[in-house]
Amino acid sequence: MPVFIYGTIASNSAFLYTFALYIMKQVRPKKHLGQHFLTDLNIAKRIADTVDACPDIPVLEVGPGMGVLTRFLVEKPRQVKVVEIDRESVAYLNENFPRLRDNIIGDDFLRMDLSTLFGAPFVLTGNYPYDISSQIFFKMLDNKDIIPCCTGMIQREVALRMASAPGTKAYGILSVLVQAWYDVEYLFTVDEDVFNPPPKVKSAVIRMTRNGVTDLGCDEQLFRRVVKTVFNQRRKMLRVSLRQILGAQNVTPGFYERDIMTRRPEQLTIAEFAMLTNMVEEELKHN
């Protein structure tokens, strides 16, 4: 079950503000990359410390920008690598983090082969760009066997969605797919005024830790397909949305009349989604 730990943090330290103004002159935030650089070192340290829940394994930071989070990660007794797509940021990191130089990867995280990165499990962390955070977590799911822990900062709305329970309005595709394999903790909220440029929404720091599930008891790819299909028509009953997969004809008589078919997707638990997936698979085989 997901765990909720709510809180709020902000810092008005004159030193941190002066430091932020200085480092912001070095790299220009780029709108097309969704860059919002964190300027509060207190918050950066708290984010860095979230990786301590999975000690003794390497850390990969996504989108380090100018290293406000990196500076705290490299002080931990473990290997740290960073991946950054912005060439200007890569140049800044190479200049200002010489001890990390061999572990600064100028690449697109979404296109990387993570299986060869460390040759062992690792923690994923970062101040994730809002516009690709969902894609980052789908990649995490594709590599769940080597990512036992994922932490970082994302848009608050997405964080609430990921940690939400069945029966709530926020419960959706990410909720089900992530919670099937990870325990999700909402750690704390971050206000807009600690970024350059300030985003239009609040942010949140989360942590996801692999649960004990090794097998959903159904076909995993079909599970994803079923979840995405029914939530794309979340206001409709399952007997309507599932027709996109099974069609209206050639199903077992009475299939759409089962009790579960009168429910909507936000009402189903993960176990019920697994059961539904098996029902759909049987129908597909029958057809």
Side-chain angles (χ1 to χ4, degrees), residues 28-35 85-86 129 131-132:
R28 175 179 53 87
K30 299 169 184 62
K31 186 175 181 180
H32 73 280
L33 293 177
Q35 291 178 328
I85 196 172
D86 179 22
D131 54 349
I132 63 167

Side-chain angles (χ1 to χ4, degrees), residues 35-37 130 155 190-203:
Q35 291 178 328
H36 296 275
F37 292 144
Y130 287 166
Q155 186 176 344
V190 181
D191 292 332
E192 304 92 324
D193 58 357
V194 296
F195 294 91
N196 177 44
K200 296 181 180 180
V201 296
K202 293 186 182 300
S203 301

Side-chain angles (χ1 to χ4, degrees), residues 21-47:
L21 288 179
Y22 170 73
I23 64 171
M24 287 306 117
K25 295 177 182 178
Q26 309 304 305
V27 178
R28 175 179 53 87
K30 299 169 184 62
K31 186 175 181 180
H32 73 280
L33 293 177
Q35 291 178 328
H36 296 275
F37 292 144
L38 179 65
T39 62
D40 190 311
L41 295 183
N42 179 42
I43 295 177
K45 185 178 186 306
R46 286 193 64 181
I47 297 172

